[in-house]
Amino acid sequence: MGPVELLHMSVFSQSFSPCGRFLAAGNNYGEIAVFSLSAALSPDASEGSQKPILNFTAHDGPVFTLLSTDTHLLSAGNGEISAWSWAELIKKSTKAAWTRKPSYETSLEIPEINAMIINPKDNSLIVGGGDNNIHIMDMETGIFKSVLKGHTDYIHCLCFKEREGEILSGGEDGAVRIWDSRTNRPVHCIEVFRYEECARPQFGKWISCLATDSDWMLCGGGPSLSLWHLRSMSPTSVFPLPGCQREAVFHQDLIMSVGEGPYVSHCLHGGTVKAQIPCTPSSLNTLALNLKNTEHRVMTVGGSSHQIDVFTNFSYRAFSLSF
Amino acid sequence: MHLCVRARMSIKFFQIVQLAYWRMGSITDDEVIRKRLLIDGDGAGDDRRINVLMKSFTKWCHSNFSPEEGFSQYQRMVTSLAQCEFSMGKTLLVYDMNLKEMENYEAIYADIEKSITSAHEKIAECKKEIQRAKRIRKNRQEYDALARVIKQHPDRHETLKQLEALDKELQQLSHIKENVEDKLELRKKQFHVLLTTIQELQQTLENDEKMESDDTQESPMENGD
């Protein structure tokens, strides 16, 4: 990988292994790199431990989304979903367990897949992408059992509400749609850009990040990042962050979000931005928290750089892993 | 006298033991040399002093000194003996001190162990507290956010009162409307009665006029006959 390629690399997705000791990251060249967190976090870590233990080309196009189940790593890019066994990846074998494609209506162009989540209740994979529809695949049989239609433009992000079993999807058309996962029918549609306090017409109406915490929902993108109360369907706080946010998560009493701008923003539910922690990439695409493993409890962010910043204490950057 | 003899005997005994070990081969030459140097090196002054004392004692016993010389020799031996005793006393005190120091250190060690475990426990407690405080803060923030939204909507009591006032007004107006309608009906009926009476009167008058004109027509016809 030459220096020019490294310069133009963007990290689009990350996922931690089920044991919490490895991190997989996908970039715009279609490569997936697996890093060993236990080596990088150990007291005698060196330069070499910040390099991937395995780096392979998984897809033709960029790897837009990565997801870890209990045994496999799922990756999706241009229209196809591949699964890799974590045990095999740790042993450095790069053979895919399976590769599947959702049934698209037109076979002319293959739309990209932007987001994937797992519905733990009925063990199904929910996929959203460029064809404006949400496809639901059963993990055991691999059959795509249903399609949720409703969006008028491509889908950026998906989210799942465990308690009610509802799927939330946000897309380029500016609407956040809530679907019931059992009946596969739309329940609500919130057009965020119609609310004056959130709308930022200079950026557009697209929604690129969604996060949910039972009754509350975070959404942002073109409109400002805002916290919504889902029962009353009203925005309660709007966060004064200058750029467009690409990923946001709820963590304990804070909201952490990344987007345009070389920092991670820590915000409180009340609408104040508590801190902005600087990082190396000039703009960030993905944020991941490793909460499964208490020893390696880190936050990693990646974006327009070949380096992935690792935060051991969430308030400052500890070191960077690099492709 | 007993002291010197005992000291010398102990040293000699030790040397014999060393020799025995060396003969048996379980101890090397280096060890022997080292041990010897240590012992002799340590008590260099003392051992020499004891040897000198023994020699001078035997010389003093055997030789014929003049009384002053003998006395001075005796003095010298006594001082030498006193020095040896002093040295021994000092070593014993040092030994006691070392023992007490060891006990002291053991006590301090145990103390520190205890405080380490209590600090660990306190840290765990504090961590739990912080988790609780974070949850509380999150709940407060959510509450505040919702309260802000709710405040934007008007007060329920006010709205209810407004509704009540409007209801009353509505009732009053409909009451008035009823009254007015009733009056209208009444007037209509009265006018109807009046109009029918007028019409009947008109009819009667017309009938009367007709009858009168019939009468006058009949009477000229009777006159002409």
Side-chain angles (χ1 to χ4, degrees), chain A residues 117 134 157-161 166-170 176-179 210-212 217 230:
Chain A
I117 50 172
I134 301 173
C157 48
L158 290 171
C159 198
F160 187 69
K161 261 189 2 172
E166 290 174 351
I167 302 169
L168 288 96
S169 59
V176 174
R177 284 178 191 269
I178 305 181
W179 317 78
L210 267 184
T212 179
M217 171 184 85
L230 284 173

Side-chain angles (χ1 to χ4, degrees), chain B residues 6 89 206:
Chain B
R6 212 181 285 159
E206 273 177 17

Side-chain angles (χ1 to χ4, degrees), chain A residues 213 216 252-253 269-270, chain B residues 131 134 137-138 141-142 148:
Chain A
D213 183 27
W216 301 82
Q252 293 175 346
D253 62 331
H269 285 243
Chain B
Q131 289 297 327
K134 279 192 178 165
R137 177 157 79 160
K138 180 169 143 164
Q141 298 259 319
E142 287 178 1
R148 236 181 295 138

Side-chain angles (χ1 to χ4, degrees), chain A residues 278-290:
Chain A
C279 11
T280 38
S282 58
S283 88
L284 295 163
N285 289 330
T286 162
L287 173 141
L289 286 171
N290 189 12

Side-chain angles (χ1 to χ4, degrees), chain A residues 59-170:
Chain A
H59 292 273
D60 292 330
V63 179
F64 286 123
T65 167
L66 285 173
L67 179 66
S68 273
T69 62
D70 289 332
T71 48
H72 286 77
L73 173 72
L74 302 170
S75 67
N78 268 339
E80 56 178 28
I81 307 168
S82 303
W84 320 81
S85 159
W86 267 113
E88 296 286 314
L89 285 177
I90 294 172
K91 282 189 271 182
K92 314 216 178 155
S93 135
T94 63
K95 189 163 161 345
W98 47 259
T99 305
R100 296 198 186 114
K101 242 196 288 229
S103 41
Y104 295 117
E105 289 163 354
T106 67
S107 48
L108 291 168
E109 61 169 59
I110 306 195
E112 77 279 11
I113 292 177
N114 284 328
M116 280 199 296
I117 50 172
I118 286 255
N119 178 355
K121 286 192 185 171
D122 54 359
N123 200 19
S124 56
L125 179 70
I126 304 165
V127 161
D131 65 337
N132 312 351
N133 298 332
I134 301 173
H135 299 264
I136 303 182
M137 178 187 101
D138 184 45
M139 284 295 284
E140 285 157 9
T141 57
I143 303 175
F144 282 90
K145 43 186 194 181
S146 34
V147 178
L148 303 176
K149 294 190 206 244
H151 278 279
T152 52
D153 213 340
Y154 60 91
I155 295 170
H156 274 283
C157 48
L158 290 171
C159 198
F160 187 69
K161 261 189 2 172
E162 305 247 335
R163 217 172 53 183
E164 290 92 351
E166 290 174 351
I167 302 169
L168 288 96
S169 59

Side-chain angles (χ1 to χ4, degrees), chain B residues 29-42:
Chain B
D29 291 351
D30 291 334
E31 284 284 324
V32 173
I33 293 172
R34 207 190 310 148
K35 286 281 179 200
R36 237 206 121 114
L37 277 172
L38 270 177
I39 293 180
D40 279 346
D42 232 346

Side-chain angles (χ1 to χ4, degrees), chain B residues 7 22 24 49 61 65 74 76 79 82 119 150 158-159 167 191:
Chain B
W22 179 70
M24 284 199 298
R49 215 178 281 138
C61 284
F65 283 123
Y74 167 73
R76 246 176 269 147
T79 36
I150 288 173
E158 298 245 337
T159 327
D167 259 339
F191 270 112

